[in-house]
Amino acid sequence: MYADVAVCLPLSRTFVYKLERPVAVGCRVLVEFRRREVEGFIVGLRSDAPKDVEVHGVKNFVDSAPLLRPEIFDLCKWISQYYVSPIGEVLKSALPPGINEKHIARGLKPTTTRLERREGIHVERLPLTADQSRALDSVCNARGFYPMLLHGVTGSGKTEIYMRAAEHFLERSKTSLILVPEIGLTPQLTDRFAARFPGKIAILHSALTKRQRIDEWLRIRAGETPIVIGTRSAVFAPLQNLGMIVVDEEHETSYKQEDVPRYHARDTAVMRAKLSNAAVILGSATPSMESFHNSQRAKYLRIPLTTRVEDRELPDVQIVNMREEYAAQGKQVVLSQRLLQALFTRLERQEQTMILLNRRGFAAFLLCRKCGFTFQCNSCSVALTYHRSIDKLLCHYCGLARRPPSRCPECDSEYIHYVGEGTERLEAEVRQLFPEARIGRLDRDTMRHIRDYERVLGGFRKGEIDVLVGTQMIAKGHDFPRVTLVGVIGADAPLALPDFRAAERTFQLLTQVAGRSGRGDQPGEVVIQSYFPDHYTFQLAVKQRFEDFYGQESRYRRAMFYPPFASLAGIMVTDRDPARAAGLARQIAEFLDSQRSNAIRILGPAPAPLERIKRVHRHQLLIKSSSRSTLHGILDRLQAYIEEKKIGATRVIIDVDPVSLL
Ligand code: ADP
Ligand code: ZN
Ligand code: ZN
């Protein structure tokens, strides 16, 4: 008896080992590999061994039975092929780290994830809106695999549909998997589920300890919790008898894993639903271009929810032209007159306000007014951001911190100027203008732990905070009925990113944050500050015209041959030495060139927009293809070439369907 073993190393091929006793496919073993002992998964069995190589025996057996369910095993095989990721590494990431049979023998622990009810969560059954009922019918009438795009405007009650659908499947002894972008930012969804299905929920998120993760995983596997809510990696949750998968806010970029294996949890969820013959609901007010395109091609069924619950109006959105504001005030201001006035009114009426500024820190960068010197990170090609609370310049990529100099290191002038504003500055500004107002801030600097989210978001929900300022974190699916004003500052910034998805991201962000306003009895208002108010992204976001935006954006994507009208893979070549990075990028480009066909277009090599991160130089190539299978053919050959030439998997990174091109 012999086994094909996939070692948990960045190698795409498998190796043959001899088995002393029978053991099932999917079990983990320890084997000697290149004079080291490594863990691997048995991915196949065979009765003969290759003749020309020496075959070693398996050193040790880790599992006596496979821990992964057969459909998860198949899902991993799909990920490995689709995302060109070594199968051993994929299988490893599908299990909670450190799990072994002792944990199983120990038996189930009572739940360790805390699920207490918070104030302000209503559990009563509400009569569904006509839109909601229609959507629920579509879900409940689904037989087997059935991908749906639940395209519902903000405040249309998508969570209620998820819960009713989960109930429907629960009554039929079927389980449900709910994927969310980030647990800390979706406490309401979690709370509402927990209140509706007490004792039936497991929650998987990144803040769990290793031990908690294993315990939750075992409870799910034992069938104790038929509903699982979790982030990205919960797509591997060992639920049996799966009825439905929900991917909430399906357009969110956090569903993409930016490390090996580089899978997209949304697309992986669709594949899992297919393998499990389950329904799958992708929910969003601003679907990704890809998912909307799939609904246009009838690959997904689009279910529109066009009205807000209780016939609430969508908010009134206005754009302030910041060029005119500058001309009128004769200076650069953070808050326009219009936004100030609207904010003042809210404070008077004791209603709540959210202000989005998608940059943390105090000032965007430091500039010498005399010679134009800017303060860059030594290790990364980005400007350092000034954080006033700690009086430091910080690199947002590598964490470098240094004291801001009082004189220019280039010309010794004293005229150091703080340019651009961040959330810290915004908070200070609002505080100065409205000393009586109670202000909260939500960004990566203030949010260190899940408890920080609870404190700020909970305080805001209870009305202990009047004005919440923050980065895109405040744009997420929050439901605060007392918010009647949303302000957006520096709305243009994301448009300037060198990424073909810049307009899509901007449109999504504006629509999402606007959707936080007017969710209660009072109508909502939104004030967007922009220097380019005529850009189609703003014009269509103001009117919340998603389909027109999709049409406009599609024309650009089609002309430029970008997704969803082409399949895309990014190749990132890295090296600490700039010349070696460039040389390797040329070598890869030559190889790709030798594989070129009509269905392929190659861009690059070129330095990545962020040319250097943590002292590593980065060069980038993009492969576009009109045919998925042609793209995969070329990627497989590239992978084989990288392994054959021993270039090293960390130096050439293949990213299929990349979401970030920086
Ligand atoms: P979305 O996720 O679509 O933005 P939510 O699911 O957060 O919207 O719902 C918005 C609010 O409307 C929530 O407070 C929810 O409890 C409430 N809601 C949902 N369905 C109904 C309904 N049929 N009638 C009244 N209120 C509802
Ligand atoms: Zn200077
Ligand atoms: Zn840095």
Side-chain angles (χ1 to χ4, degrees):
M1 249 321 220
Y2 298 91
D4 291 309
V5 175
V7 289
C8 303
L9 292 173
L11 288 168
S12 54
R13 56 161 298 199
T14 57
F15 299 87
V16 176
Y17 287 86
K18 196 171 179 353
L19 291 173
E20 268 90 63
R21 60 175 166 93
V23 58
V25 166
C27 285
R28 289 175 297 174
V29 288
L30 292 178
V31 294
E32 189 181 306
F33 185 79
R34 292 181 184 156
R35 267 173 260 128
R36 277 200 297 152
E37 188 166 284
V38 295
E39 194 171 276
F41 284 82
I42 295 182
V43 293
L45 297 169
R46 49 165 79 216
S47 51
D48 58 325
K51 299 273 173 300
D52 42 355
V53 290
E54 192 194 347
V55 173
H56 295 278
V58 159
K59 284 219 147 176
N60 242 315
F61 296 89
V62 181
D63 309 317
S64 53
L67 288 181
L68 290 172
R69 307 183 38 71
E71 76 251 28
I72 307 274
F73 191 78
D74 289 342
L75 186 68
C76 289
K77 282 204 267 193
W78 175 81
I79 291 176
S80 164
Q81 276 165 8
Y82 188 90
Y83 294 103
V84 199
S85 294
I87 179 72
E89 293 192 311
V90 179
L91 289 165
K92 189 176 175 185
S93 66
L95 284 175
I99 190 162
N100 61 48
E101 297 202 318
K102 283 196 208 105
H103 296 115
I104 301 171
R106 207 176 57 197
L108 295 180
K109 284 271 155 70
T111 181
T112 44
T113 40
R114 196 170 47 90
L115 278 182
E116 56 197 41
R117 246 182 237 183
R118 258 162 279 206
E119 286 172 56
I121 301 298
H122 44 242
V123 215
E124 77 270 15
R125 296 284 150 80
L126 306 152
L128 294 183
T129 65
D131 267 354
Q132 282 176 319
S133 309
R134 211 172 316 116
L136 186 64
D137 280 349
S138 297
V139 180
C140 296
N141 290 332
R143 294 281 168 273
F145 177 59
Y146 195 53
M148 285 164 273
L149 176 64
L150 186 63
H151 183 187
V153 296
T154 53
S156 55
K158 291 186 281 295
T159 311
E160 185 63 33
I161 297 170
Y162 305 154
M163 289 193 293
R164 301 264 181 140
E167 203 172 313
H168 165 88
F169 286 106
L170 199 58
E171 281 162 10
R172 282 155 190 78
S173 307
K174 293 218 165 191
T175 60
S176 295
L177 173 61
I178 321 292
L179 296 181
V180 294
E182 210 169 331
I183 289 280
L185 292 174
T186 43
Q188 284 168 316
L189 182 139
T190 324
D191 285 354
R192 277 152 74 181
F193 265 90
R196 185 77 60 97
F197 305 99
K200 293 198 161 55
I201 308 242
I203 300 187
L204 295 174
H205 58 84
S206 54
L208 295 182
T209 64
K210 211 164 146 179
R211 189 62 174 269
Q212 284 174 326
R213 185 172 293 275
I214 290 172
D215 288 337
E216 289 297 292
W217 193 88
L218 289 172
R219 288 173 63 228
I220 299 165
R221 189 165 176 269
E224 297 246 308
T225 53
I227 298 174
V228 173
I229 303 178
T231 46
R232 195 168 59 220
S233 64
V235 74
F236 299 111
L239 286 163
Q240 300 192 41
N241 229 341
L242 193 63
M244 156 182 90
I245 307 182
V246 169
V247 183
D248 190 31
E249 310 291 358
E250 65 87 27
H251 62 279
E252 282 281 338
T253 54
S254 58
Y255 282 121
K256 181 68 169 29
Q257 166 124 322
E258 294 293 0
D259 206 343
V260 186
R262 294 186 160 72
Y263 63 95
H264 198 300
R266 174 195 62 217
D267 300 331
T268 305
V270 173
M271 184 44 73
R272 177 162 183 193
K274 188 172 178 181
L275 293 171
S276 309
N277 202 28
V280 56
I281 306 175
L282 312 181
S284 178
T286 51
S288 60
M289 291 293 290
E290 285 84 351
S291 295
F292 197 78
H293 181 64
N294 279 331
S295 76
Q296 299 288 78
R297 295 196 297 166
K299 246 185 105 178
Y300 297 168
L301 174 73
R302 177 169 168 268
I303 305 175
L305 301 169
T306 53
T307 49
R308 282 188 154 182
V309 296
E310 300 185 327
D311 292 323
R312 279 169 204 148
E313 300 269 329
L314 282 167
D316 170 39
V317 187
Q318 307 154 40
I319 311 187
V320 176
N321 184 337
M322 291 305 280
R323 276 176 290 161
E324 287 169 11
E325 189 80 15
Y326 181 80
Q329 298 208 32
K331 62 173 185 196
Q332 202 104 2
V333 291
V334 180
L335 298 155
S336 62
Q337 280 305 314
R338 175 161 232 157
L339 186 51
L340 275 182
Q341 187 55 47
L343 179 53
F344 181 74
T345 314
R346 292 316 178 294
L347 290 168
E348 247 185 4
R349 286 200 221 138
Q350 299 188 348
E351 293 170 6
Q352 289 177 307
T353 300
M354 286 173 132
I355 308 179
L356 171 95
L357 170 54
N358 206 9
R359 188 194 295 118
R360 59 199 173 92
F362 191 80
F365 58 95
L366 258 62
L367 171 81
C368 168
R369 275 215 163 136
K370 191 146 172 244
C371 76
F373 182 82
T374 58
F375 294 78
Q376 303 268 329
C377 175
N378 302 333
S379 317
C380 314
S381 37
V382 290
L384 297 173
T385 306
Y386 179 60
H387 290 246
R388 195 174 65 175
S389 62
I390 49 173
D391 192 30
K392 287 251 164 68
L393 289 167
L394 290 186
C395 171
H396 286 180
Y397 284 86
C398 72
L400 171 104
R402 54 175 288 193
R403 288 227 156 269
S406 51
R407 289 173 167 275
C408 172
E410 278 295 300
C411 72
D412 206 38
S413 91
E414 295 167 31
Y415 304 107
I416 308 262
H417 184 54
Y418 291 76
V419 186
E421 58 274 353
T423 42
E424 194 186 356
R425 163 95 184 270
L426 174 62
E427 182 190 2
E429 192 110 345
V430 176
R431 212 175 277 290
Q432 197 193 357
L433 288 162
F434 303 100
E436 310 285 279
R438 296 163 301 169
I439 302 161
R441 192 172 107 215
L442 200 67
D443 58 28
R444 287 259 170 269
D445 295 322
T446 49
M447 299 296 110
R448 301 250 174 247
H449 190 269
I450 245 179
R451 276 194 304 267
D452 298 326
Y453 292 102
E454 289 175 359
R455 184 172 41 74
V456 175
L457 293 175
F460 196 52
R461 185 175 313 128
K462 280 186 241 156
E464 294 162 4
I465 292 171
D466 304 309
V467 185
L468 184 63
V469 304
T471 56
Q472 36 85 26
M473 286 182 171
I474 67 169
K476 310 289 155 167
H478 308 299
D479 186 34
F480 299 112
R482 271 176 288 185
V483 173
T484 59
L485 173 66
V486 164
V488 184
I489 296 182
D492 315 297
L495 270 184
L497 290 177
D499 185 327
F500 73 92
R501 289 195 181 88
E504 180 183 356
R505 298 262 180 276
T506 306
F507 183 86
Q508 286 165 347
L509 184 63
L510 291 177
T511 310
Q512 291 290 342
V513 72
R516 301 311 115 209
S517 187
R519 295 170 73 95
D521 302 330
Q522 301 301 316
E525 183 183 352
V526 180
V527 177
I528 297 174
Q529 298 185 174
S530 162
Y531 285 91
F532 310 101
D534 297 327
H535 194 285
Y536 68 91
T537 304
F538 295 114
Q539 289 301 325
L540 296 173
V542 163
K543 303 190 189 97
Q544 307 233 12
R545 292 203 337 231
F546 176 84
E547 277 166 65
D548 290 337
F549 174 78
Y550 175 82
Q552 182 93 4
E553 185 66 11
S554 290
R555 248 170 281 157
Y556 155 72
R557 300 279 181 98
R558 209 186 295 257
M560 301 299 286
F561 200 44
Y562 272 121
F565 303 100
S567 300
L568 189 68
I571 315 291
M572 185 70 82
V573 180
T574 66
D575 200 296
R576 284 184 166 259
D577 180 82
R580 280 220 308 257
L584 183 55
R586 274 196 303 277
Q587 182 188 342
I588 299 294
E590 271 162 35
F591 175 79
L592 291 175
D593 217 41
S594 71
Q595 307 289 316
R596 196 186 275 274
S597 76
N598 280 341
I600 293 281
R601 273 189 235 172
I602 297 167
L603 302 185
L610 282 165
E611 194 181 340
R612 218 155 46 111
I613 297 181
K614 299 181 191 172
R615 292 187 186 279
V616 172
H617 289 261
R618 308 158 81 238
H619 286 250
Q620 181 167 273
L621 290 124
L622 282 182
I623 311 177
K624 300 182 193 175
S625 179
S626 52
S627 147
R628 188 55 76 178
S629 60
T630 308
L631 179 67
H632 269 107
I634 200 168
L635 293 177
D636 287 344
R637 292 194 294 280
L638 174 63
Q639 177 78 1
Y641 176 80
I642 295 165
E643 284 178 24
E644 184 193 305
K645 299 275 175 197
K646 298 207 161 45
I647 291 170
T650 51
R651 290 179 65 213
V652 183
I653 296 158
I654 300 175
D655 195 357
V656 178
D657 300 343
V659 301
S660 165
L661 296 177
L662 297 178

